Amino acid sequence: MAHVILFPDELAQQQAWGVFLACGCVGELGDAPAFCREFLPRFILLTAGFDRFIAAVKDQQIQLAGIVKYRPPGTECPEAGAPDPQWKAIFGNIRAESLSPSITDQGKLRITISVEKSLGSVIPLAARLIRGASYRPEVPILAFEEDHRLIVISPREIVISRADDLMDFWIMLRTTVDFICEAHRYRFTVRPETAARMGVGATEIFRRLPGINCGRCGSQSCMEFASGLMTGKRVLGDCEPLFEESDPRYLASINWLLHVLGIPEHEPVSTDGRRGSSPVLGL
């Protein structure tokens, strides 16, 4: 089975390619579409020798952004020109920090991108240009849905969740970069948004709950509990099955989402149910 291996930067990619050749693995270097090629280094499409490659990469402590099973793109590569030449001045270097299956849909991808320069001054402008988004001006964080995808923009990080495949991720990344560049162009004519908004709703919280409708929290269903979190009638510690879940990524994911949304009086909850721990961001 083929795997896609994504790297944070060019150095890691070159080191890993050297390991690939030395281990006699089978596969090839892949490029992002031309409209995204400036952003991130090439990736490796590995078709044989996976265990040898992973062992060697670990031994040499080469950093990977992540590994996922390869899926043929579900959409054709769109035709698009080069990105706005201002992107480098706005973002600086872009790194892929993580690539994994989405916790809310294992058949889709979740990618976290970090940026060298802070987007903190641009996000309030972007919030003025988009409807139906959640916005926390004090951070600032902007979160919005693009069809079934969730995109979150914070000063040093962009999260693209539930991308259909790698091609869909490239399209969403370019779309997000273009959106931020457009907001930047309005910096002298548009007033920054200062009012908080809640556009991403209880469904996103529900996606990260056990979904068993056990009633132990005092709500009749997990969706009702999710709505209770939104309104402050419930706290995360009320959901006992969430802390009994063997996969801690669900709890980390919902802590991250509540932080993104700025749920009132929310305190991150650790796996043992204690409040006040730091959230694991970006899941």
Side-chain angles (χ1 to χ4, degrees):
M1 178 175 291
H3 290 80
V4 171
I5 306 168
L6 200 63
F7 302 95
D9 51 42
E10 191 72 30
L11 176 60
Q13 183 267 310
Q14 291 176 356
Q15 292 173 333
W17 184 243
V19 167
F20 175 95
L21 296 175
C23 291
C25 299
V26 179
E28 59 185 351
L29 280 172
D31 264 326
F35 62 81
C36 256
R37 203 160 290 165
E38 298 179 33
F39 300 151
L40 296 170
R42 302 177 76 181
F43 61 90
I44 291 179
L45 181 60
L46 181 65
T47 55
F50 179 82
D51 291 339
R52 295 196 304 274
F53 176 80
I54 295 302
V57 163
K58 288 183 177 179
D59 183 61
Q60 297 191 30
Q61 298 182 337
I62 298 173
Q63 188 176 4
L64 309 180
I67 304 172
V68 294
K69 295 177 182 177
Y70 171 73
R71 295 178 58 191
T75 184
E76 293 185 5
C77 180
E79 294 184 7
D84 188 315
Q86 285 293 305
W87 80 265
K88 189 75 172 179
I90 298 169
F91 291 83
N93 291 325
I94 294 177
R95 286 172 52 95
E97 297 295 344
S98 68
L99 165 68
S100 64
S102 171
I103 197 69
T104 56
D105 188 336
Q106 292 291 314
K108 301 188 184 302
L109 302 179
R110 186 186 186 288
I111 301 95
T112 300
I113 301 298
S114 67
V115 298
E116 180 184 15
K117 298 185 177 181
S118 174
L119 303 178
S121 63
V122 186
I123 293 173
L125 301 173
R128 278 280 182 182
L129 303 182
I130 191 169
R131 295 180 179 272
S134 286
Y135 175 56
R136 291 187 62 189
E138 75 277 10
V139 178
I141 295 181
L142 183 66
F144 56 94
E145 294 168 308
E146 183 67 29
D147 293 329
H148 55 273
R149 311 167 195 87
L150 176 67
I151 298 175
V152 178
I153 305 171
S154 56
R156 296 283 184 176
E157 188 176 87
I158 298 171
V159 177
I160 298 174
S161 183
R162 295 192 297 273
D164 294 330
D165 48 44
L166 206 56
M167 178 61 71
D168 191 48
F169 158 67
W170 294 124
I171 294 171
M172 288 298 102
L173 177 59
R174 172 60 187 272
T175 300
T176 304
V177 170
D178 286 350
F179 174 50
I180 291 297
C181 289
E182 180 185 10
H184 184 262
R185 287 196 294 272
Y186 283 101
R187 64 193 182 280
F188 301 122
T189 57
V190 171
R191 290 184 295 109
E193 182 62 76
T194 58
R197 297 201 308 254
M198 187 68 76
V200 176
T203 300
E204 275 296 335
I205 297 175
F206 172 75
R207 289 175 182 269
R208 294 159 172 80
L209 293 173
I212 57 177
N213 301 325
C214 65
R216 291 158 64 184
C217 63
S219 301
Q220 294 185 358
S221 67
C222 289
M223 180 56 81
E224 183 181 317
F225 176 73
S227 298
L229 285 175
M230 295 283 293
T231 59
K233 295 179 180 178
R234 299 291 179 192
V235 294
L236 196 57
D238 293 335
C239 180
E240 297 177 10
L242 186 61
F243 302 99
E244 298 165 359
E245 168 64 52
S246 59
D247 189 343
R249 292 179 301 165
Y250 283 92
L251 181 58
S253 181
I254 197 168
N255 266 325
W256 169 76
L257 181 64
L258 295 181
H259 169 78
V260 165
L261 299 180
I263 298 299
E265 300 181 4
H266 164 62
E267 291 182 288
V269 184
S270 64
T271 52
D272 60 6
R274 291 180 298 179
R275 293 179 178 81
S277 60
S278 298
V280 180
L281 300 183
L283 294 179

